[in-house]
Amino acid sequence: MFRCTFYDYFCALKIVKGMNTIILGIESSCDDTSAAVIRNGYLLSNVVASQAVHEAYGGVVPELASRAHQQNIVPVVHEALRRAGVTKEELSAVAFTRGPGLMGSLLVGVSFAKGFARSLGIPMVDVNHLNGHVLAHFIQVEGEETEQPEFPFLCLLVSGGNSQIILVKAYNDMEILGQTIDDAAGEAIDKCSKVMGLGYPGGPIIDRLARQGNPKAYTFSKPHIPGLDYSFSGLKTSFLYSLKNWLKEDPDFIAHHQTDLAASLEATVVDILMEKLRKAAKQCGIRQVAVAGGVSANNGLRNAFREHAAKYGWKIFIPKFSYTTDNAAMIAIAGYFKYLDKQYCPMDAPAYSRVALE
Ligand code: KG4
């Protein structure tokens, strides 16, 4: 039998009370603590506190990330509300990243969201981080013209943990057509950059170096797997072994050929990504194609999208740089659409570290 608690009544009252739908979004899946406020689909604020503490270790240290989230979460939420000019009592719901991500990091955002929503008597909306990346294309900003994709469209989601081709049928209806069977594109770039002795994260460094290099200088192996799935572990190995051989002949090989190595690596990753995306677009007969996730900041990938638009008549959607890496604006917008669909989250919903897409 369905029973309404006092809390349910209180939430329902809040939902019907106002015309404005104001969502606080909270993101803490990895090493960025972020909070954002969205009113009726328009972004009012997006505050991100990044954690420099990991740079010294060449990768994210989960325990340190979790501790930094604990320190950051209250001031970041406070600042997001302040910049938005919104009081906590005006919020309609709290949206939060429930997963996937680092469990210790997620728990900070999830626990905060639960406590905050409960204390205000408003509903919670759980957001899958990956859906958030895709729906970042629907964030609107007052006074800015934003062209949004129409359904259905394809989205290439490329980050440090994922490389997926997604068929987006509606805000809350997505299907993964293909994904990596081993490493993600960003992970492969980061690892190759580490092998070259460059800093962390390697993606932006490789991107910068690649602009001055020759993308055809070196050839690395590309995967031959069927369907729309990706694989990047072979490229990583091929890069490592090629480099080892070259270093035997010239111990300063990396220093002498840094830009060409970066450009060739980037070009190989972009080729692998675009080949399957072309295949997906052809199979689905879809020409609206978006890109999302941290690696979508990459200039080589952005150029490849523009070239495909010109060559194949694709209508492309490339996110603003601020929405490529982890941010709460994308969680708030995804939460907004779920809230409109009345897809609320129960108080006992646990965080999850792995789950592809909703
Ligand atoms: O989406 P994201 O911020 O975090 C998750 O993995 O969820 O993506 C981070 C990844 C890292 O691998 C980083 O090196 C990569 O995005 N990245 C880039 C660029 N900026 C960030 N990769 C290539 N070129 C870039 N400009």
Side-chain angles (χ1 to χ4, degrees):
M1 200 181 76
F2 178 73
R3 281 205 203 145
C4 274
T5 61
F6 175 72
Y7 177 68
D8 294 326
Y9 281 124
F10 195 52
C11 289
L13 267 179
K14 284 247 180 185
I15 292 163
V16 292
K17 203 179 69 179
M19 295 295 287
N20 274 330
T21 300
I22 307 180
I23 308 289
L24 169 71
I26 292 173
E27 156 64 29
S28 72
S29 64
C30 191
D31 60 341
D32 291 308
T33 319
S34 181
V37 179
I38 274 190
R39 179 166 55 208
N40 303 330
Y42 283 84
L43 185 66
L44 300 182
S45 66
N46 184 31
V47 178
V48 184
S50 299
Q51 304 177 359
V53 66
H54 308 287
E55 275 164 27
Y57 300 92
V60 177
V61 184
E63 186 51 36
L64 293 180
S66 172
R67 278 187 228 164
H69 282 305
Q70 282 177 336
Q71 283 169 352
N72 293 341
I73 188 90
V74 172
V76 163
V77 169
H78 180 81
E79 185 59 14
L81 290 169
R82 193 193 66 76
R83 286 191 202 171
V86 159
T87 65
K88 56 186 190 300
E89 288 75 20
E90 288 176 276
L91 294 174
S92 312
V94 180
F96 63 97
T97 304
R98 191 170 154 198
L102 298 172
M103 190 44 90
S105 293
L106 286 166
L107 282 175
V108 178
V110 172
S111 311
F112 180 89
K114 286 182 180 179
F116 205 54
R118 171 64 77 146
S119 71
L120 294 168
I122 55 176
M124 294 186 306
V125 184
D126 60 321
V127 173
N128 180 306
H129 181 80
L130 308 176
N131 290 56
H133 271 302
V134 175
L135 294 176
H137 285 282
F138 295 93
I139 298 169
Q140 297 182 76
V141 177
E142 205 78 57
E144 277 181 26
E145 204 54 40
T146 356
E147 200 174 8
Q148 302 185 347
E150 283 168 22
F151 302 113
F153 67 93
L154 289 177
C155 185
L156 174 69
L157 174 56
V158 264
S159 66
N162 295 278
S163 300
Q164 299 178 330
I165 298 176
I166 300 165
L167 173 62
V168 189
K169 301 173 199 170
Y171 296 120
N172 298 320
D173 187 3
M174 304 182 196
E175 186 189 339
I176 298 172
L177 302 181
Q179 60 188 320
T180 181
I181 58 166
D182 41 54
D183 293 341
E187 196 178 350
I189 297 176
D190 289 345
K191 295 246 170 81
C192 293
S193 140
K194 198 172 176 180
V195 169
M196 285 171 71
L198 305 173
Y200 172 85
I205 305 169
I206 293 288
D207 190 355
R208 184 170 40 78
L209 291 170
R211 276 182 248 177
Q212 297 141 43
N214 173 8
K216 295 201 170 111
Y218 306 106
T219 314
F220 303 110
S221 79
K222 288 189 194 163
H224 298 282
I225 47 168
L228 297 174
D229 284 338
Y230 288 118
S231 165
F232 288 97
S233 69
L235 167 62
K236 216 173 60 183
T237 315
S238 158
F239 188 85
L240 178 67
Y241 282 99
S242 304
L243 209 55
K244 272 189 178 167
N245 283 336
W246 293 322
L247 283 169
K248 274 188 217 153
E249 288 160 25
D250 172 9
D252 290 328
F253 186 85
I254 296 174
H256 291 153
H257 303 278
Q258 222 176 32
T259 53
D260 285 349
L261 282 168
S264 303
L265 171 68
E266 183 184 279
T268 313
V269 171
V270 170
D271 273 357
I272 296 171
L273 289 171
M274 296 312 287
E275 190 198 324
K276 290 290 171 89
L277 192 57
R278 272 197 307 276
K279 195 169 169 184
K282 203 168 165 199
Q283 270 179 21
C284 300
I286 290 178
R287 286 208 229 162
Q288 286 203 82
V289 191
V291 61
V295 183
S296 70
N298 182 266
N299 282 285
L301 185 58
R302 288 174 171 239
N303 288 339
F305 259 71
R306 291 186 197 104
E307 280 159 25
H308 277 63
K311 193 164 175 191
Y312 301 103
W314 287 5
K315 190 158 184 194
I316 54 163
F317 299 89
I318 299 176
K320 269 190 191 175
F321 282 109
S322 51
Y323 304 149
T324 58
T325 46
D326 292 346
N327 65 88
M330 67 185 199
I331 303 305
I333 194 76
Y336 171 71
F337 293 125
K338 278 187 95 173
Y339 176 85
L340 295 183
D341 259 3
K342 298 192 174 49
Q343 294 185 34
Y344 313 131
C345 169
M347 200 40 92
D348 58 359
Y352 48 78
S353 57
R354 287 171 185 273
V355 160
L357 195 83
E358 277 177 2

CSV table of all heavy atoms in Angstrom, one decimal, residues 129 133 159-161 186-187 189-190 201-204 207 293-295 297-298 324-326, ligand 1:
chain,number,residue,atom,x,y,z
A,129,HIS,N,26.0,11.0,-13.8
A,129,HIS,CA,27.0,11.9,-14.2
A,129,HIS,C,27.1,12.0,-15.8
A,129,HIS,O,27.3,13.0,-16.3
A,129,HIS,CB,28.4,11.5,-13.6
A,129,HIS,CG,29.5,12.4,-14.0
A,129,HIS,ND1,29.8,13.5,-13.3
A,129,HIS,CD2,30.5,12.2,-14.9
A,129,HIS,CE1,30.9,14.1,-13.8
A,129,HIS,NE2,31.3,13.3,-14.8
A,133,HIS,N,26.7,15.1,-18.5
A,133,HIS,CA,27.6,15.6,-19.6
A,133,HIS,C,26.8,15.8,-20.9
A,133,HIS,O,27.0,16.8,-21.6
A,133,HIS,CB,28.7,14.5,-19.9
A,133,HIS,CG,29.9,14.7,-19.0
A,133,HIS,ND1,30.6,15.9,-19.0
A,133,HIS,CD2,30.5,13.9,-18.1
A,133,HIS,CE1,31.6,15.8,-18.2
A,133,HIS,NE2,31.6,14.6,-17.7
A,159,SER,N,35.6,11.1,-22.0
A,159,SER,CA,36.2,11.7,-20.8
A,159,SER,C,37.3,10.8,-20.3
A,159,SER,O,37.8,9.9,-21.0
A,159,SER,CB,35.1,11.9,-19.7
A,159,SER,OG,34.7,10.6,-19.3
A,160,GLY,N,37.7,11.1,-19.0
A,160,GLY,CA,38.8,10.3,-18.5
A,160,GLY,C,38.4,8.8,-18.2
A,160,GLY,O,39.2,7.9,-18.1
A,161,GLY,N,37.1,8.7,-18.0
A,161,GLY,CA,36.6,7.3,-17.6
A,161,GLY,C,35.7,6.7,-18.6
A,161,GLY,O,35.3,5.5,-18.5
A,186,GLY,N,40.4,9.6,-22.8
A,186,GLY,CA,41.1,10.5,-22.0
A,186,GLY,C,42.2,9.8,-21.1
A,186,GLY,O,43.3,10.3,-20.9
A,187,GLU,N,41.8,8.6,-20.7
A,187,GLU,CA,42.8,7.8,-19.9
A,187,GLU,C,44.0,7.5,-20.7
A,187,GLU,O,45.2,7.6,-20.2
A,187,GLU,CB,42.0,6.5,-19.5
A,187,GLU,CG,42.6,5.7,-18.4
A,187,GLU,CD,41.7,4.5,-18.2
A,187,GLU,OE1,40.6,4.4,-18.7
A,187,GLU,OE2,42.1,3.6,-17.4
A,189,ILE,N,45.2,9.1,-23.4
A,189,ILE,CA,46.0,10.3,-23.6
A,189,ILE,C,46.8,10.6,-22.3
A,189,ILE,O,48.0,10.9,-22.4
A,189,ILE,CB,45.1,11.5,-24.0
A,189,ILE,CG1,44.4,11.2,-25.3
A,189,ILE,CG2,45.9,12.8,-24.0
A,189,ILE,CD1,43.4,12.3,-25.8
A,190,ASP,N,46.1,10.5,-21.2
A,190,ASP,CA,46.8,10.9,-19.9
A,190,ASP,C,48.0,9.9,-19.6
A,190,ASP,O,49.0,10.4,-19.2
A,190,ASP,CB,45.8,10.8,-18.7
A,190,ASP,CG,44.8,11.9,-18.7
A,190,ASP,OD1,45.0,12.9,-19.4
A,190,ASP,OD2,43.8,11.8,-18.0
A,201,PRO,N,46.6,16.8,-15.5
A,201,PRO,CA,46.3,15.8,-16.5
A,201,PRO,C,46.9,16.1,-17.8
A,201,PRO,O,47.1,17.2,-18.2
A,201,PRO,CB,44.7,15.9,-16.5
A,201,PRO,CG,44.4,17.3,-16.1
A,201,PRO,CD,45.5,17.8,-15.2
A,202,GLY,N,47.2,15.0,-18.5
A,202,GLY,CA,48.0,15.1,-19.8
A,202,GLY,C,47.2,15.7,-20.9
A,202,GLY,O,47.8,16.3,-21.8
A,203,GLY,N,45.8,15.5,-20.9
A,203,GLY,CA,45.0,15.9,-22.0
A,203,GLY,C,45.3,17.4,-22.5
A,203,GLY,O,45.6,17.6,-23.7
A,204,PRO,N,45.2,18.4,-21.6
A,204,PRO,CA,45.4,19.7,-22.1
A,204,PRO,C,46.8,20.0,-22.5
A,204,PRO,O,47.0,20.8,-23.4
A,204,PRO,CB,45.1,20.6,-20.8
A,204,PRO,CG,44.2,19.7,-20.0
A,204,PRO,CD,44.6,18.3,-20.3
A,207,ASP,N,47.2,18.5,-26.0
A,207,ASP,CA,46.5,19.4,-26.9
A,207,ASP,C,47.3,20.6,-27.3
A,207,ASP,O,47.4,21.0,-28.5
A,207,ASP,CB,45.2,19.9,-26.1
A,207,ASP,CG,44.2,20.6,-27.0
A,207,ASP,OD1,44.5,20.8,-28.2
A,207,ASP,OD2,43.1,20.9,-26.5
A,293,GLY,N,32.0,15.8,-22.5
A,293,GLY,CA,33.0,15.2,-21.6
A,293,GLY,C,34.3,16.0,-21.7
A,293,GLY,O,34.5,16.8,-22.6
A,294,GLY,N,35.2,15.7,-20.8
A,294,GLY,CA,36.5,16.4,-20.7
A,294,GLY,C,37.3,16.5,-22.0
A,294,GLY,O,37.8,17.5,-22.3
A,295,VAL,N,37.3,15.4,-22.7
A,295,VAL,CA,38.2,15.3,-24.0
A,295,VAL,C,37.5,16.2,-25.1
A,295,VAL,O,38.2,16.6,-26.0
A,295,VAL,CB,38.4,13.9,-24.4
A,295,VAL,CG1,39.3,13.8,-25.6
A,295,VAL,CG2,39.0,13.0,-23.3
A,297,ALA,N,37.1,19.1,-25.0
A,297,ALA,CA,37.8,20.4,-25.0
A,297,ALA,C,39.0,20.3,-26.0
A,297,ALA,O,39.5,21.4,-26.4
A,297,ALA,CB,38.4,20.7,-23.6
A,298,ASN,N,39.3,19.1,-26.5
A,298,ASN,CA,40.5,19.0,-27.4
A,298,ASN,C,40.3,19.7,-28.7
A,298,ASN,O,39.3,19.4,-29.4
A,298,ASN,CB,40.7,17.5,-27.5
A,298,ASN,CG,41.9,17.2,-28.4
A,298,ASN,OD1,41.8,17.1,-29.6
A,298,ASN,ND2,43.1,17.3,-27.8
A,324,THR,N,32.8,21.3,-20.4
A,324,THR,CA,33.4,20.1,-20.9
A,324,THR,C,33.9,19.3,-19.7
A,324,THR,O,33.6,18.1,-19.6
A,324,THR,CB,34.6,20.4,-21.8
A,324,THR,OG1,35.5,21.2,-21.2
A,324,THR,CG2,34.1,21.0,-23.1
A,325,THR,N,34.6,19.9,-18.7
A,325,THR,CA,35.0,19.2,-17.6
A,325,THR,C,33.9,19.1,-16.5
A,325,THR,O,32.9,19.7,-16.7
A,325,THR,CB,36.3,19.8,-17.0
A,325,THR,OG1,36.1,21.2,-16.9
A,325,THR,CG2,37.5,19.6,-17.8
A,326,ASP,N,34.2,18.4,-15.4
A,326,ASP,CA,33.1,18.2,-14.4
A,326,ASP,C,32.6,19.5,-13.9
A,326,ASP,O,33.4,20.4,-13.4
A,326,ASP,CB,33.6,17.3,-13.3
A,326,ASP,CG,33.9,15.9,-13.8
A,326,ASP,OD1,33.4,15.6,-15.0
A,326,ASP,OD2,34.5,15.1,-13.1
B,1,KG4,O1,35.0,14.7,-18.1
B,1,KG4,P1,36.2,14.8,-17.3
B,1,KG4,O2,36.5,16.2,-16.7
B,1,KG4,O3,36.3,13.8,-16.1
B,1,KG4,C1,35.9,12.5,-16.1
B,1,KG4,O4,36.7,11.7,-16.6
B,1,KG4,O5,34.7,12.3,-15.8
B,1,KG4,O6,37.4,14.4,-18.3
B,1,KG4,C2,38.8,14.4,-17.8
B,1,KG4,C3,39.6,14.0,-19.0
B,1,KG4,C4,41.1,13.8,-18.7
B,1,KG4,O7,41.5,12.6,-19.2
B,1,KG4,C5,41.8,15.0,-19.3
B,1,KG4,O8,43.1,14.7,-19.7
B,1,KG4,C6,40.9,15.1,-20.5
B,1,KG4,O9,39.6,15.0,-20.1
B,1,KG4,N1,41.0,16.5,-21.2
B,1,KG4,C7,41.5,16.6,-22.4
B,1,KG4,C8,41.6,18.0,-22.6
B,1,KG4,N2,41.1,18.7,-21.5
B,1,KG4,C9,40.8,17.7,-20.6
B,1,KG4,N3,41.9,15.7,-23.3
B,1,KG4,C10,42.4,16.2,-24.5
B,1,KG4,N4,42.5,17.6,-24.8
B,1,KG4,C11,42.0,18.5,-23.9
B,1,KG4,N5,42.1,19.8,-24.2
